[in-house]
Amino acid sequence: MTQAWVLGQRALREAWRTPEALLPTLFIPLFFLVVNVGQAARIFPSKSTSFLHGQGYGAFQLPSSLLLAASFGSAALFLVEEIEGGYFDKLRATPIPRTAIVLGRLISEGVKGVFMASALVVLGLIFGIRIASGPLGFVLLVGLAALWAVVFSGFMQAIALKTRSAAATNSAGLIFFPLLFLTPNFVPRNLLTRPMEIAATVNPVTYVMEALRSLILEDLVWSKILYGFGVATALGVVMLALNVRLIRHYD
Amino acid sequence: MAKVQSSGATAAVQAEGLVKHYATKKEVIEAVRGVDLRVETGEVFGFLGPNGAGKSTTVRMLTTLLSITSGSAFVAGVDVARDPDEARRRMGVALQEAGLDARQTGRELLVLQGRLFDMSPSDASARADELLALVELEEAADRRIKGYSGGMKRRLDLASALVHEPDVLFLDEPTTGLDPASRLTVWDELRRINTRGTTIFLTTQYLEEADQLCDRIAIIDGGLIVREGTPAQLKAELRERRGLATDPTLDDVFLDATGRTRVAGDVQEVSR
Ligand SMILES: Nc1ncnc2c1ncn2[C@@H]1O[C@H](COP(=O)(O)OP(=O)(O)O)[C@@H](O)[C@H]1O
Ligand SMILES: [Mg+2]
């Protein structure tokens, strides 16, 4: 595990030294938050919209932005670069567990995810969003968003390991469109049209989004929280297993 | 050159019947078709061959980076397929692309490498200092690798392959793409490393390099070894066979071995 952490620190340095890749992951979600709220806030006044639980529409939209911030997976592109450049082979020639090699960047994505999510939530607090579930809720909120960042970059990293191509990895990243938009991202699930509701119900991101939302709008609603963490953890385990399998059979 | 231990003792590198098939969508490419090798401890061994002959494929199998289709390979007595991690501790690897992480500094790269070989932070940092001095990169140590010249990158790559004091150092075309001055510096480096007792296995397309550095060479063509011996032996053999008045050059040996002739347009770019 020491080795995974050493590689994680390296990946964090890498992220820190490429602000051009880091800054969009913060500003694009903020942009969507401001635009979406600006366009729809008058349709959903907080007084007469029960699903807002007394807060503004921005509070309802914040989870979408958190998930968007967690769905860039730019680390996978660094991995492709590293495969093409040959440094990946240097790492493979060291006697460390193959798991440590794939975990390095995932750890750093998790740490990055914590900072990104904290920044977005704190900005939200400044603009009047309240975390109804309190300090513990804040921790769970940031933790779940960061966990999703790990899951998504795990997916991207698997594609990178499989295809070793920047173009293919970039294309695979586009899956975040259906994942993020076939969700109850504008209104709760029960207000969606029937086809959308079905799509959202089978989309795992829905449960992560609903967990995040319940933490902001309601309280510690454990059923929703556990659902969100459960789905994200299960997918995380699948992605990790996939990554380890791919690097073990890497030729 | 360092003292070469003669046969009997464990060989630095030993391969028997090494085969690699690459399965592509269309066909199976037989890149290496049954290679036997024995490199003694302390030797500088040159692995020569034209482009596509199977040099890199062989090196990648020996260094645990590529699965072996059939045959066996031992490095410092360790089976690379059975016990890859132990084999990795015994060998240093610097591949064709000088694979480095451009966003880190030279020092960070070396310290990281040390940490991955189980060194404590302070040991890794001390070892990095030593190696930076060895390859004369002290001044550039805290700059990002992105800004290094080709020669500096090669030397850093070399240093990173030496972090854990390997018994055997594998180098795949260590001087390809370097200017003549940097090439000489790398040669000096390699001689120094060898003098300290490290066995060196290097591939090259430059016959002069092999002639200058190597105790023994093997020439591979089309996935098979076609010549093996000391440069002097190979030259003498060709001289005798052709009934030449003077010793041929290693270029001549190479052209003879790989079935290439000096006819214009058909000559492999092999030297200088
Ligand atoms: N990953 C690969 N997939 C398919 N064929 C490959 C692969 N790597 C190398 N080859 C083929 O194997 C042969 C030997 O290649 P290589 O070992 O790189 O030669 P060298 O290093 O001597 O130039 C060549 O024909 C090359 O095209
Ligand atoms: Mg090659």
Side-chain angles (χ1 to χ4, degrees), chain A residues 25-26 30 62 65-67 69-70 109-126 131 135 137-147 149 212:
Chain A
T25 60
L26 198 57
L30 271 179
L62 183 58
S65 291
L66 288 172
L67 288 173
E109 287 301 292
V111 174
K112 237 170 71 184
V114 166
F115 280 102
M116 290 289 169
S118 304
L120 281 170
V121 174
V122 167
L123 278 171
L125 291 175
I126 292 172
I131 308 299
F138 177 90
V139 172
L140 291 173
L141 189 64
V142 167
L144 183 53
L147 182 59
L212 294 172

PDB file of all heavy atoms in Angstrom, chain A residues 25-26 30 62 65-67 69-70 109-126 131 135 137-147 149 212:
ATOM      1  N   THR A  25     -12.373  21.322 -14.701  1.00  0.00           N
ATOM      2  CA  THR A  25     -13.199  20.423 -13.895  1.00  0.00           C
ATOM      3  C   THR A  25     -13.910  21.176 -12.775  1.00  0.00           C
ATOM      4  O   THR A  25     -14.871  20.701 -12.210  1.00  0.00           O
ATOM      5  CB  THR A  25     -12.370  19.282 -13.269  1.00  0.00           C
ATOM      6  OG1 THR A  25     -11.371  19.859 -12.440  1.00  0.00           O
ATOM      7  CG2 THR A  25     -11.699  18.428 -14.317  1.00  0.00           C
ATOM      8  N   LEU A  26     -13.430  22.365 -12.470  1.00  0.00           N
ATOM      9  CA  LEU A  26     -14.111  23.192 -11.475  1.00  0.00           C
ATOM     10  C   LEU A  26     -15.061  24.184 -12.151  1.00  0.00           C
ATOM     11  O   LEU A  26     -16.197  24.369 -11.728  1.00  0.00           O
ATOM     12  CB  LEU A  26     -13.061  23.943 -10.639  1.00  0.00           C
ATOM     13  CG  LEU A  26     -13.532  24.515  -9.312  1.00  0.00           C
ATOM     14  CD1 LEU A  26     -14.124  23.425  -8.430  1.00  0.00           C
ATOM     15  CD2 LEU A  26     -12.365  25.180  -8.588  1.00  0.00           C
ATOM     16  N   LEU A  30     -19.452  24.702 -12.433  1.00  0.00           N
ATOM     17  CA  LEU A  30     -19.976  25.962 -11.893  1.00  0.00           C
ATOM     18  C   LEU A  30     -20.801  26.682 -12.942  1.00  0.00           C
ATOM     19  O   LEU A  30     -21.881  27.217 -12.658  1.00  0.00           O
ATOM     20  CB  LEU A  30     -18.816  26.866 -11.464  1.00  0.00           C
ATOM     21  CG  LEU A  30     -18.326  26.699 -10.040  1.00  0.00           C
ATOM     22  CD1 LEU A  30     -17.166  27.651  -9.773  1.00  0.00           C
ATOM     23  CD2 LEU A  30     -19.477  26.983  -9.064  1.00  0.00           C
ATOM     24  N   LEU A  62     -27.137  21.393  -7.214  1.00  0.00           N
ATOM     25  CA  LEU A  62     -25.738  21.197  -6.794  1.00  0.00           C
ATOM     26  C   LEU A  62     -25.227  19.763  -7.021  1.00  0.00           C
ATOM     27  O   LEU A  62     -24.107  19.584  -7.524  1.00  0.00           O
ATOM     28  CB  LEU A  62     -25.558  21.634  -5.332  1.00  0.00           C
ATOM     29  CG  LEU A  62     -24.132  21.563  -4.780  1.00  0.00           C
ATOM     30  CD1 LEU A  62     -23.166  22.414  -5.582  1.00  0.00           C
ATOM     31  CD2 LEU A  62     -24.103  21.995  -3.301  1.00  0.00           C
ATOM     32  N   SER A  65     -23.904  19.208 -10.450  1.00  0.00           N
ATOM     33  CA  SER A  65     -22.606  19.830 -10.666  1.00  0.00           C
ATOM     34  C   SER A  65     -21.490  19.027 -10.014  1.00  0.00           C
ATOM     35  O   SER A  65     -20.409  18.888 -10.569  1.00  0.00           O
ATOM     36  CB  SER A  65     -22.599  21.250 -10.099  1.00  0.00           C
ATOM     37  OG  SER A  65     -23.438  22.051 -10.893  1.00  0.00           O
ATOM     38  N   LEU A  66     -21.775  18.495  -8.827  1.00  0.00           N
ATOM     39  CA  LEU A  66     -20.762  17.672  -8.158  1.00  0.00           C
ATOM     40  C   LEU A  66     -20.426  16.455  -9.009  1.00  0.00           C
ATOM     41  O   LEU A  66     -19.259  16.074  -9.156  1.00  0.00           O
ATOM     42  CB  LEU A  66     -21.277  17.222  -6.783  1.00  0.00           C
ATOM     43  CG  LEU A  66     -21.354  18.300  -5.710  1.00  0.00           C
ATOM     44  CD1 LEU A  66     -22.070  17.768  -4.466  1.00  0.00           C
ATOM     45  CD2 LEU A  66     -19.950  18.780  -5.345  1.00  0.00           C
ATOM     46  N   LEU A  67     -21.454  15.854  -9.589  1.00  0.00           N
ATOM     47  CA  LEU A  67     -21.222  14.652 -10.398  1.00  0.00           C
ATOM     48  C   LEU A  67     -20.529  14.999 -11.706  1.00  0.00           C
ATOM     49  O   LEU A  67     -19.701  14.243 -12.202  1.00  0.00           O
ATOM     50  CB  LEU A  67     -22.548  13.929 -10.661  1.00  0.00           C
ATOM     51  CG  LEU A  67     -23.118  13.241  -9.423  1.00  0.00           C
ATOM     52  CD1 LEU A  67     -24.515  12.688  -9.703  1.00  0.00           C
ATOM     53  CD2 LEU A  67     -22.200  12.117  -8.960  1.00  0.00           C
ATOM     54  N   ALA A  69     -18.410  17.440 -12.086  1.00  0.00           N
ATOM     55  CA  ALA A  69     -17.005  17.675 -11.729  1.00  0.00           C
ATOM     56  C   ALA A  69     -16.257  16.357 -11.548  1.00  0.00           C
ATOM     57  O   ALA A  69     -15.055  16.272 -11.792  1.00  0.00           O
ATOM     58  CB  ALA A  69     -16.921  18.493 -10.440  1.00  0.00           C
ATOM     59  N   ALA A  70     -17.000  15.325 -11.149  1.00  0.00           N
ATOM     60  CA  ALA A  70     -16.355  14.040 -10.887  1.00  0.00           C
ATOM     61  C   ALA A  70     -16.278  13.173 -12.139  1.00  0.00           C
ATOM     62  O   ALA A  70     -15.806  12.051 -12.086  1.00  0.00           O
ATOM     63  CB  ALA A  70     -17.125  13.299  -9.796  1.00  0.00           C
ATOM     64  N   GLU A 109      -7.194  10.597  -7.783  1.00  0.00           N
ATOM     65  CA  GLU A 109      -8.502  11.089  -8.218  1.00  0.00           C
ATOM     66  C   GLU A 109      -9.437  11.252  -7.026  1.00  0.00           C
ATOM     67  O   GLU A 109     -10.249  12.181  -6.980  1.00  0.00           O
ATOM     68  CB  GLU A 109      -9.127  10.134  -9.235  1.00  0.00           C
ATOM     69  CG  GLU A 109      -8.460  10.180 -10.604  1.00  0.00           C
ATOM     70  CD  GLU A 109      -8.500  11.557 -11.245  1.00  0.00           C
ATOM     71  OE1 GLU A 109      -9.601  12.016 -11.617  1.00  0.00           O
ATOM     72  OE2 GLU A 109      -7.439  12.190 -11.351  1.00  0.00           O
ATOM     73  N   GLY A 110      -9.320  10.351  -6.065  1.00  0.00           N
ATOM     74  CA  GLY A 110     -10.134  10.448  -4.867  1.00  0.00           C
ATOM     75  C   GLY A 110      -9.801  11.709  -4.071  1.00  0.00           C
ATOM     76  O   GLY A 110     -10.690  12.458  -3.659  1.00  0.00           O
ATOM     77  N   VAL A 111      -8.508  11.958  -3.892  1.00  0.00           N
ATOM     78  CA  VAL A 111      -8.075  13.139  -3.135  1.00  0.00           C
ATOM     79  C   VAL A 111      -8.509  14.409  -3.872  1.00  0.00           C
ATOM     80  O   VAL A 111      -9.049  15.350  -3.286  1.00  0.00           O
ATOM     81  CB  VAL A 111      -6.540  13.120  -2.936  1.00  0.00           C
ATOM     82  CG1 VAL A 111      -6.069  14.414  -2.292  1.00  0.00           C
ATOM     83  CG2 VAL A 111      -6.134  11.927  -2.090  1.00  0.00           C
ATOM     84  N   LYS A 112      -8.270  14.405  -5.187  1.00  0.00           N
ATOM     85  CA  LYS A 112      -8.691  15.542  -6.011  1.00  0.00           C
ATOM     86  C   LYS A 112     -10.196  15.747  -5.904  1.00  0.00           C
ATOM     87  O   LYS A 112     -10.673  16.867  -5.796  1.00  0.00           O
ATOM     88  CB  LYS A 112      -8.334  15.236  -7.474  1.00  0.00           C
ATOM     89  CG  LYS A 112      -7.436  16.250  -8.119  1.00  0.00           C
ATOM     90  CD  LYS A 112      -6.957  15.738  -9.473  1.00  0.00           C
ATOM     91  CE  LYS A 112      -8.063  15.717 -10.522  1.00  0.00           C
ATOM     92  NZ  LYS A 112      -7.587  15.126 -11.800  1.00  0.00           N
ATOM     93  N   GLY A 113     -10.922  14.615  -5.929  1.00  0.00           N
ATOM     94  CA  GLY A 113     -12.381  14.669  -5.837  1.00  0.00           C
ATOM     95  C   GLY A 113     -12.836  15.325  -4.541  1.00  0.00           C
ATOM     96  O   GLY A 113     -13.789  16.113  -4.540  1.00  0.00           O
ATOM     97  N   VAL A 114     -12.138  15.025  -3.444  1.00  0.00           N
ATOM     98  CA  VAL A 114     -12.492  15.631  -2.150  1.00  0.00           C
ATOM     99  C   VAL A 114     -12.319  17.154  -2.222  1.00  0.00           C
ATOM    100  O   VAL A 114     -13.194  17.918  -1.794  1.00  0.00           O
ATOM    101  CB  VAL A 114     -11.629  15.037  -1.018  1.00  0.00           C
ATOM    102  CG1 VAL A 114     -11.730  15.873   0.246  1.00  0.00           C
ATOM    103  CG2 VAL A 114     -12.046  13.595  -0.743  1.00  0.00           C
ATOM    104  N   PHE A 115     -11.204  17.579  -2.803  1.00  0.00           N
ATOM    105  CA  PHE A 115     -10.968  19.027  -2.895  1.00  0.00           C
ATOM    106  C   PHE A 115     -11.975  19.716  -3.821  1.00  0.00           C
ATOM    107  O   PHE A 115     -12.514  20.777  -3.488  1.00  0.00           O
ATOM    108  CB  PHE A 115      -9.534  19.304  -3.372  1.00  0.00           C
ATOM    109  CG  PHE A 115      -8.529  19.193  -2.267  1.00  0.00           C
ATOM    110  CD1 PHE A 115      -7.724  18.079  -2.134  1.00  0.00           C
ATOM    111  CD2 PHE A 115      -8.426  20.210  -1.312  1.00  0.00           C
ATOM    112  CE1 PHE A 115      -6.813  17.962  -1.100  1.00  0.00           C
ATOM    113  CE2 PHE A 115      -7.521  20.108  -0.269  1.00  0.00           C
ATOM    114  CZ  PHE A 115      -6.709  18.975  -0.162  1.00  0.00           C
ATOM    115  N   MET A 116     -12.233  19.096  -4.973  1.00  0.00           N
ATOM    116  CA  MET A 116     -13.176  19.673  -5.932  1.00  0.00           C
ATOM    117  C   MET A 116     -14.564  19.799  -5.317  1.00  0.00           C
ATOM    118  O   MET A 116     -15.205  20.844  -5.396  1.00  0.00           O
ATOM    119  CB  MET A 116     -13.287  18.775  -7.176  1.00  0.00           C
ATOM    120  CG  MET A 116     -12.069  18.781  -8.036  1.00  0.00           C
ATOM    121  SD  MET A 116     -11.946  20.374  -8.872  1.00  0.00           S
ATOM    122  CE  MET A 116     -10.313  20.222  -9.521  1.00  0.00           C
ATOM    123  N   ALA A 117     -15.023  18.689  -4.718  1.00  0.00           N
ATOM    124  CA  ALA A 117     -16.365  18.681  -4.152  1.00  0.00           C
ATOM    125  C   ALA A 117     -16.454  19.684  -3.007  1.00  0.00           C
ATOM    126  O   ALA A 117     -17.430  20.442  -2.904  1.00  0.00           O
ATOM    127  CB  ALA A 117     -16.718  17.279  -3.677  1.00  0.00           C
ATOM    128  N   SER A 118     -15.416  19.728  -2.168  1.00  0.00           N
ATOM    129  CA  SER A 118     -15.437  20.693  -1.053  1.00  0.00           C
ATOM    130  C   SER A 118     -15.530  22.109  -1.594  1.00  0.00           C
ATOM    131  O   SER A 118     -16.300  22.936  -1.093  1.00  0.00           O
ATOM    132  CB  SER A 118     -14.177  20.566  -0.195  1.00  0.00           C
ATOM    133  OG  SER A 118     -14.047  19.252   0.257  1.00  0.00           O
ATOM    134  N   ALA A 119     -14.749  22.402  -2.633  1.00  0.00           N
ATOM    135  CA  ALA A 119     -14.756  23.748  -3.193  1.00  0.00           C
ATOM    136  C   ALA A 119     -16.144  24.105  -3.709  1.00  0.00           C
ATOM    137  O   ALA A 119     -16.673  25.191  -3.434  1.00  0.00           O
ATOM    138  CB  ALA A 119     -13.718  23.854  -4.310  1.00  0.00           C
ATOM    139  N   LEU A 120     -16.759  23.166  -4.433  1.00  0.00           N
ATOM    140  CA  LEU A 120     -18.084  23.447  -4.989  1.00  0.00           C
ATOM    141  C   LEU A 120     -19.121  23.623  -3.887  1.00  0.00           C
ATOM    142  O   LEU A 120     -19.959  24.541  -3.942  1.00  0.00           O
ATOM    143  CB  LEU A 120     -18.517  22.313  -5.924  1.00  0.00           C
ATOM    144  CG  LEU A 120     -17.908  22.330  -7.330  1.00  0.00           C
ATOM    145  CD1 LEU A 120     -18.213  21.031  -8.068  1.00  0.00           C
ATOM    146  CD2 LEU A 120     -18.433  23.528  -8.121  1.00  0.00           C
ATOM    147  N   VAL A 121     -19.071  22.759  -2.860  1.00  0.00           N
ATOM    148  CA  VAL A 121     -20.057  22.859  -1.788  1.00  0.00           C
ATOM    149  C   VAL A 121     -19.865  24.156  -1.006  1.00  0.00           C
ATOM    150  O   VAL A 121     -20.831  24.848  -0.686  1.00  0.00           O
ATOM    151  CB  VAL A 121     -19.978  21.636  -0.853  1.00  0.00           C
ATOM    152  CG1 VAL A 121     -20.895  21.814   0.349  1.00  0.00           C
ATOM    153  CG2 VAL A 121     -20.348  20.363  -1.604  1.00  0.00           C
ATOM    154  N   VAL A 122     -18.604  24.504  -0.750  1.00  0.00           N
ATOM    155  CA  VAL A 122     -18.351  25.747  -0.009  1.00  0.00           C
ATOM    156  C   VAL A 122     -18.847  26.951  -0.808  1.00  0.00           C
ATOM    157  O   VAL A 122     -19.480  27.865  -0.265  1.00  0.00           O
ATOM    158  CB  VAL A 122     -16.850  25.875   0.344  1.00  0.00           C
ATOM    159  CG1 VAL A 122     -16.521  27.284   0.819  1.00  0.00           C
ATOM    160  CG2 VAL A 122     -16.486  24.859   1.425  1.00  0.00           C
ATOM    161  N   LEU A 123     -18.615  26.934  -2.117  1.00  0.00           N
ATOM    162  CA  LEU A 123     -19.148  28.009  -2.958  1.00  0.00           C
ATOM    163  C   LEU A 123     -20.671  28.052  -2.858  1.00  0.00           C
ATOM    164  O   LEU A 123     -21.279  29.126  -2.776  1.00  0.00           O
ATOM    165  CB  LEU A 123     -18.734  27.803  -4.418  1.00  0.00           C
ATOM    166  CG  LEU A 123     -17.338  28.294  -4.783  1.00  0.00           C
ATOM    167  CD1 LEU A 123     -16.950  27.847  -6.185  1.00  0.00           C
ATOM    168  CD2 LEU A 123     -17.290  29.828  -4.686  1.00  0.00           C
ATOM    169  N   GLY A 124     -21.273  26.855  -2.850  1.00  0.00           N
ATOM    170  CA  GLY A 124     -22.726  26.777  -2.698  1.00  0.00           C
ATOM    171  C   GLY A 124     -23.179  27.390  -1.384  1.00  0.00           C
ATOM    172  O   GLY A 124     -24.143  28.158  -1.332  1.00  0.00           O
ATOM    173  N   LEU A 125     -22.440  27.079  -0.299  1.00  0.00           N
ATOM    174  CA  LEU A 125     -22.788  27.623   1.023  1.00  0.00           C
ATOM    175  C   LEU A 125     -22.734  29.149   0.998  1.00  0.00           C
ATOM    176  O   LEU A 125     -23.590  29.828   1.550  1.00  0.00           O
ATOM    177  CB  LEU A 125     -21.831  27.072   2.089  1.00  0.00           C
ATOM    178  CG  LEU A 125     -21.955  25.588   2.410  1.00  0.00           C
ATOM    179  CD1 LEU A 125     -20.863  25.146   3.393  1.00  0.00           C
ATOM    180  CD2 LEU A 125     -23.333  25.261   2.985  1.00  0.00           C
ATOM    181  N   ILE A 126     -21.712  29.677   0.341  1.00  0.00           N
ATOM    182  CA  ILE A 126     -21.552  31.129   0.258  1.00  0.00           C
ATOM    183  C   ILE A 126     -22.761  31.752  -0.433  1.00  0.00           C
ATOM    184  O   ILE A 126     -23.237  32.825  -0.064  1.00  0.00           O
ATOM    185  CB  ILE A 126     -20.245  31.476  -0.487  1.00  0.00           C
ATOM    186  CG1 ILE A 126     -19.038  31.049   0.363  1.00  0.00           C
ATOM    187  CG2 ILE A 126     -20.176  32.975  -0.803  1.00  0.00           C
ATOM    188  CD1 ILE A 126     -17.707  31.158  -0.354  1.00  0.00           C
ATOM    189  N   ILE A 131     -26.725  22.803   3.982  1.00  0.00           N
ATOM    190  CA  ILE A 131     -26.633  21.345   4.018  1.00  0.00           C
ATOM    191  C   ILE A 131     -27.528  20.877   5.152  1.00  0.00           C
ATOM    192  O   ILE A 131     -27.147  20.942   6.322  1.00  0.00           O
ATOM    193  CB  ILE A 131     -25.181  20.866   4.270  1.00  0.00           C
ATOM    194  CG1 ILE A 131     -24.204  21.517   3.297  1.00  0.00           C
ATOM    195  CG2 ILE A 131     -25.076  19.341   4.174  1.00  0.00           C
ATOM    196  CD1 ILE A 131     -24.461  21.221   1.844  1.00  0.00           C
ATOM    197  N   PRO A 135     -22.979  18.812   9.629  1.00  0.00           N
ATOM    198  CA  PRO A 135     -21.556  18.552   9.353  1.00  0.00           C
ATOM    199  C   PRO A 135     -21.293  17.125   8.888  1.00  0.00           C
ATOM    200  O   PRO A 135     -20.538  16.908   7.946  1.00  0.00           O
ATOM    201  CB  PRO A 135     -20.880  18.801  10.707  1.00  0.00           C
ATOM    202  CG  PRO A 135     -21.838  19.612  11.490  1.00  0.00           C
ATOM    203  CD  PRO A 135     -23.207  19.291  10.984  1.00  0.00           C
ATOM    204  N   GLY A 137     -23.309  15.301   7.339  1.00  0.00           N
ATOM    205  CA  GLY A 137     -23.841  15.273   5.973  1.00  0.00           C
ATOM    206  C   GLY A 137     -22.850  15.861   4.984  1.00  0.00           C
ATOM    207  O   GLY A 137     -22.674  15.348   3.874  1.00  0.00           O
ATOM    208  N   PHE A 138     -22.185  16.930   5.399  1.00  0.00           N
ATOM    209  CA  PHE A 138     -21.168  17.555   4.533  1.00  0.00           C
ATOM    210  C   PHE A 138     -20.082  16.546   4.194  1.00  0.00           C
ATOM    211  O   PHE A 138     -19.692  16.366   3.035  1.00  0.00           O
ATOM    212  CB  PHE A 138     -20.569  18.778   5.239  1.00  0.00           C
ATOM    213  CG  PHE A 138     -19.459  19.443   4.460  1.00  0.00           C
ATOM    214  CD1 PHE A 138     -19.743  20.456   3.550  1.00  0.00           C
ATOM    215  CD2 PHE A 138     -18.134  19.044   4.628  1.00  0.00           C
ATOM    216  CE1 PHE A 138     -18.722  21.061   2.821  1.00  0.00           C
ATOM    217  CE2 PHE A 138     -17.111  19.639   3.902  1.00  0.00           C
ATOM    218  CZ  PHE A 138     -17.410  20.654   2.999  1.00  0.00           C
ATOM    219  N   VAL A 139     -19.620  15.843   5.218  1.00  0.00           N
ATOM    220  CA  VAL A 139     -18.561  14.845   5.007  1.00  0.00           C
ATOM    221  C   VAL A 139     -19.045  13.753   4.058  1.00  0.00           C
ATOM    222  O   VAL A 139     -18.336  13.347   3.124  1.00  0.00           O
ATOM    223  CB  VAL A 139     -18.115  14.246   6.360  1.00  0.00           C
ATOM    224  CG1 VAL A 139     -17.167  13.072   6.143  1.00  0.00           C
ATOM    225  CG2 VAL A 139     -17.458  15.314   7.219  1.00  0.00           C
ATOM    226  N   LEU A 140     -20.270  13.281   4.277  1.00  0.00           N
ATOM    227  CA  LEU A 140     -20.814  12.224   3.419  1.00  0.00           C
ATOM    228  C   LEU A 140     -20.995  12.726   1.988  1.00  0.00           C
ATOM    229  O   LEU A 140     -20.732  12.005   1.021  1.00  0.00           O
ATOM    230  CB  LEU A 140     -22.152  11.728   3.972  1.00  0.00           C
ATOM    231  CG  LEU A 140     -22.071  10.950   5.289  1.00  0.00           C
ATOM    232  CD1 LEU A 140     -23.473  10.659   5.827  1.00  0.00           C
ATOM    233  CD2 LEU A 140     -21.304   9.643   5.102  1.00  0.00           C
ATOM    234  N   LEU A 141     -21.412  13.959   1.861  1.00  0.00           N
ATOM    235  CA  LEU A 141     -21.638  14.569   0.557  1.00  0.00           C
ATOM    236  C   LEU A 141     -20.333  14.600  -0.245  1.00  0.00           C
ATOM    237  O   LEU A 141     -20.253  14.130  -1.383  1.00  0.00           O
ATOM    238  CB  LEU A 141     -22.146  15.995   0.780  1.00  0.00           C
ATOM    239  CG  LEU A 141     -22.659  16.817  -0.392  1.00  0.00           C
ATOM    240  CD1 LEU A 141     -23.897  16.168  -0.971  1.00  0.00           C
ATOM    241  CD2 LEU A 141     -22.987  18.237   0.071  1.00  0.00           C
ATOM    242  N   VAL A 142     -19.305  15.124   0.396  1.00  0.00           N
ATOM    243  CA  VAL A 142     -18.001  15.233  -0.268  1.00  0.00           C
ATOM    244  C   VAL A 142     -17.427  13.834  -0.529  1.00  0.00           C
ATOM    245  O   VAL A 142     -16.892  13.553  -1.609  1.00  0.00           O
ATOM    246  CB  VAL A 142     -17.047  16.086   0.594  1.00  0.00           C
ATOM    247  CG1 VAL A 142     -15.618  15.962   0.114  1.00  0.00           C
ATOM    248  CG2 VAL A 142     -17.500  17.547   0.578  1.00  0.00           C
ATOM    249  N   GLY A 143     -17.599  12.951   0.446  1.00  0.00           N
ATOM    250  CA  GLY A 143     -17.077  11.599   0.305  1.00  0.00           C
ATOM    251  C   GLY A 143     -17.721  10.853  -0.850  1.00  0.00           C
ATOM    252  O   GLY A 143     -17.031  10.200  -1.648  1.00  0.00           O
ATOM    253  N   LEU A 144     -19.032  10.993  -0.985  1.00  0.00           N
ATOM    254  CA  LEU A 144     -19.727  10.272  -2.052  1.00  0.00           C
ATOM    255  C   LEU A 144     -19.353  10.836  -3.424  1.00  0.00           C
ATOM    256  O   LEU A 144     -19.143  10.093  -4.379  1.00  0.00           O
ATOM    257  CB  LEU A 144     -21.247  10.328  -1.826  1.00  0.00           C
ATOM    258  CG  LEU A 144     -22.116   9.549  -2.822  1.00  0.00           C
ATOM    259  CD1 LEU A 144     -21.667   8.093  -2.929  1.00  0.00           C
ATOM    260  CD2 LEU A 144     -23.596   9.613  -2.413  1.00  0.00           C
ATOM    261  N   ALA A 145     -19.243  12.161  -3.504  1.00  0.00           N
ATOM    262  CA  ALA A 145     -18.842  12.773  -4.779  1.00  0.00           C
ATOM    263  C   ALA A 145     -17.440  12.309  -5.165  1.00  0.00           C
ATOM    264  O   ALA A 145     -17.173  11.976  -6.328  1.00  0.00           O
ATOM    265  CB  ALA A 145     -18.897  14.300  -4.676  1.00  0.00           C
ATOM    266  N   ALA A 146     -16.545  12.253  -4.174  1.00  0.00           N
ATOM    267  CA  ALA A 146     -15.176  11.818  -4.456  1.00  0.00           C
ATOM    268  C   ALA A 146     -15.146  10.341  -4.854  1.00  0.00           C
ATOM    269  O   ALA A 146     -14.402   9.941  -5.758  1.00  0.00           O
ATOM    270  CB  ALA A 146     -14.286  12.051  -3.241  1.00  0.00           C
ATOM    271  N   LEU A 147     -15.987   9.553  -4.200  1.00  0.00           N
ATOM    272  CA  LEU A 147     -16.058   8.130  -4.538  1.00  0.00           C
ATOM    273  C   LEU A 147     -16.507   7.963  -5.991  1.00  0.00           C
ATOM    274  O   LEU A 147     -15.984   7.136  -6.736  1.00  0.00           O
ATOM    275  CB  LEU A 147     -17.025   7.421  -3.583  1.00  0.00           C
ATOM    276  CG  LEU A 147     -17.191   5.901  -3.767  1.00  0.00           C
ATOM    277  CD1 LEU A 147     -15.856   5.190  -3.616  1.00  0.00           C
ATOM    278  CD2 LEU A 147     -18.209   5.346  -2.764  1.00  0.00           C
ATOM    279  N   ALA A 149     -15.974  10.060  -8.349  1.00  0.00           N
ATOM    280  CA  ALA A 149     -14.835  10.456  -9.189  1.00  0.00           C
ATOM    281  C   ALA A 149     -13.892   9.271  -9.382  1.00  0.00           C
ATOM    282  O   ALA A 149     -13.361   9.050 -10.475  1.00  0.00           O
ATOM    283  CB  ALA A 149     -14.085  11.629  -8.561  1.00  0.00           C
ATOM    284  N   LEU A 212     -26.945  12.293  -2.785  1.00  0.00           N
ATOM    285  CA  LEU A 212     -26.343  13.613  -2.606  1.00  0.00           C
ATOM    286  C   LEU A 212     -27.429  14.648  -2.318  1.00  0.00           C
ATOM    287  O   LEU A 212     -27.306  15.492  -1.421  1.00  0.00           O
ATOM    288  CB  LEU A 212     -25.581  14.020  -3.876  1.00  0.00           C
ATOM    289  CG  LEU A 212     -24.344  13.196  -4.245  1.00  0.00           C
ATOM    290  CD1 LEU A 212     -23.827  13.597  -5.625  1.00  0.00           C
ATOM    291  CD2 LEU A 212     -23.243  13.369  -3.206  1.00  0.00           C
TER     292      LEU A 212
END
